[in-house]
Amino acid sequence: RHPMLLLIPGPVTTDARVKAAMAQDYAPWDNEFRALYREVCDGVLRVAQADAREHVALALPGCGHFAVEAAIRTLVPAGGRLLVPSTGAYAGRLQKLAAEAGRVAVPLYVGVRDRVDPQAVAQALEQDPSLTHVALVYSETGSGICHDVPELARIAHALGRRVIVDAVSAFGALPLDMRALPAVDAVVLTANKCLEGLPGAAFVVGRRDSLDAARGNAGSWSLDLADIYQHTLAPNAGPRFTPPAPTLAALAVALELYHQEGREARLARYTANMRTLYDGVADLGLSPYLPPALQGPIVVNVHAPDAPTWNLQLFVDALKQRGFVISNFTNTELPTFRVGCIGAFGPDQMRLAVDAMGGALQDLGITRESAGHIHGFPPPIIA
């Protein structure tokens, strides 16, 4: 089989050197692996621009939701109240995780095509002193909008509140300097997004003082970040329970490649991927879901063609036959398809993907003229 280019917002297409690290067995308690484990955690800390005296990177097996739940359970006491701007599908999941854990997630309305309004956050916090925390989604892949989390965290800090950040699809590409954001207790990330590693490992970069103060909160040994943190303080510390060892070994390689490229260059590459896609689908007669000013570099949602023969799964299948994989579901109220712009590839490959989309539309009997535009959303004007 030919290798597929994954055009989803994670897991992503990875470098061959990253995949090669998966091709051996690792003993998690071996001293060499313990050293590799600490090296990976230190590498994540470095990407977060964190101070090792104040912050620690904690690894968990599983997907981003595991780490989001762990952060909420550990850092927000039972019955605690947190403000959660309703930015889309992933903020909705965060609210559900909080409610299931016995915390009270107070939603803040955000329009589906809006960024979180800093003044609205400030007003909500001023009006309700019982809100001790704010939980923010940095890159909402449901819509494609990236929110100004550093600014929102500064507002929370000025009002004496603590912050938890779901940076799962943002970490490693969008700006983040934890030394400059003292209100942020936790940043959640995974190996398999902008770090261009493989799935199976999630991380929380947290404040040591907040983790020290949070013992006994979690109500779950598996998801207790305070306990994981205490475990890291032992000499020659390794993982607490069996980790996804091959995934972590691959991430060690991915982090080396990340530091060679640099965050700004990686963001520029993803942005070029996004612009190639955004302009390309417009040339096919389709309308991107967001106007250019709101479109983030991680994922692009595209309005489904207004044609009777449109079928998302058939479109996905036709693209896959051409070597490209996109999501076969959507997180928007209107019918769309979504395409990830992150991973180990560049705009030349995205141009090939756009050509493949044109071919897939033809397979469905949809031409540029018949693609149609959703009423009220004319084709964007590309500057």
Side-chain angles (χ1 to χ4, degrees):
R1 289 183 58 145
H2 295 297
M4 293 282 168
L5 190 70
L6 294 186
L7 296 177
I8 55 178
V12 299
T13 293
T14 56
D15 187 281
R17 291 165 285 185
V18 173
K19 285 190 265 287
M22 294 278 284
Q24 69 179 83
D25 301 316
Y26 298 89
W29 322 120
D30 175 67
N31 283 338
E32 278 187 31
F33 186 84
R34 285 174 190 256
L36 181 137
Y37 179 85
R38 292 194 298 273
E39 174 195 318
V40 166
C41 290
D42 290 346
V44 167
L45 208 60
R46 181 179 162 195
V47 177
Q49 296 192 59
D51 182 338
R53 293 166 299 182
E54 293 184 6
H55 300 99
V56 63
L58 306 174
L60 294 92
C63 67
H65 290 88
F66 290 30
V68 170
E69 182 176 349
I72 292 168
R73 282 182 170 276
T74 303
L75 295 163
V76 182
R81 292 164 60 80
L82 59 160
L83 184 71
V84 185
S86 297
T87 52
Y90 289 83
R93 293 181 180 195
L94 197 158
Q95 290 164 356
K96 179 174 173 61
L97 288 169
E100 294 280 340
R103 278 66 174 166
V104 181
V106 177
L108 175 69
Y109 173 77
V110 181
V112 293
R113 285 184 181 78
D114 292 327
R115 285 206 178 95
V116 178
D117 178 0
Q119 286 182 304
V121 170
Q123 191 174 22
L125 294 175
E126 285 165 352
Q127 287 175 352
D128 188 347
S130 72
L131 292 166
T132 56
H133 291 72
V134 184
L136 303 167
V137 176
Y138 201 163
S139 163
E140 177 55 78
T141 54
S143 67
I145 298 176
C146 297
H147 300 275
D148 192 349
V149 160
E151 174 61 17
L152 298 170
R154 284 189 284 270
I155 286 167
H157 183 229
L159 294 170
R161 305 317 214 280
R162 309 308 299 165
V163 179
I164 294 169
V165 180
D166 172 351
V168 169
S169 65
F171 189 85
L174 300 183
L176 183 70
D177 181 351
M178 286 194 72
R179 288 168 300 188
L181 300 171
V184 174
D185 278 342
V187 169
V188 178
L189 62 130
T190 60
N192 59 293
K193 306 276 187 177
C194 299
L195 295 180
E196 297 184 2
L198 289 143
F203 293 83
V204 175
V205 179
R207 288 192 61 86
R208 292 177 182 270
D209 53 3
S210 298
L211 290 162
D212 256 331
R215 295 195 217 183
N217 280 349
S220 160
W221 189 24
S222 295
L223 297 176
D224 187 352
L225 295 177
D227 189 66
I228 298 172
Y229 171 55
Q230 291 303 313
H231 191 85
T232 68
L233 301 177
N236 196 28
R240 187 180 59 151
F241 303 143
T242 302
T247 294
L248 293 173
L251 183 57
V253 177
L255 284 165
E256 283 180 37
L257 298 176
Y258 176 87
H259 291 307
Q260 288 169 21
E261 183 173 21
R263 184 193 69 77
E264 290 180 356
R266 182 154 294 187
L267 177 58
R269 177 162 58 80
Y270 292 166
T271 302
N273 290 346
M274 176 272 288
R275 289 192 174 135
T276 300
L277 172 66
Y278 193 97
D279 296 358
V281 294
D283 286 343
L284 294 176
L286 300 172
S287 298
Y289 180 74
L290 295 174
L294 280 177
Q295 179 59 63
I298 308 300
V299 64
V300 175
N301 281 276
V302 182
H303 284 292
D306 185 18
T309 55
W310 169 256
N311 177 294
L312 177 57
Q313 187 62 60
L314 292 179
F315 180 66
V316 169
D317 292 344
L319 267 182
K320 191 173 178 183
Q321 288 175 350
R322 291 166 166 84
F324 301 94
V325 179
I326 67 166
S327 300
N328 60 354
F329 63 93
T330 181
N331 291 123
T332 53
E333 289 179 22
L334 290 166
T336 57
F337 64 88
R338 69 177 192 168
V339 185
C341 303
I342 61 176
F345 69 96
D348 288 348
Q349 285 156 297
M350 187 63 93
R351 278 186 203 95
L352 295 174
V354 171
D355 290 344
M357 288 173 201
L361 289 173
Q362 286 180 345
D363 287 0
L364 298 180
I366 300 170
T367 64
R368 191 186 193 289
E369 291 69 35
S370 71
H373 296 287
I374 304 296
H375 181 68
F377 296 97
I381 297 165
I382 307 298

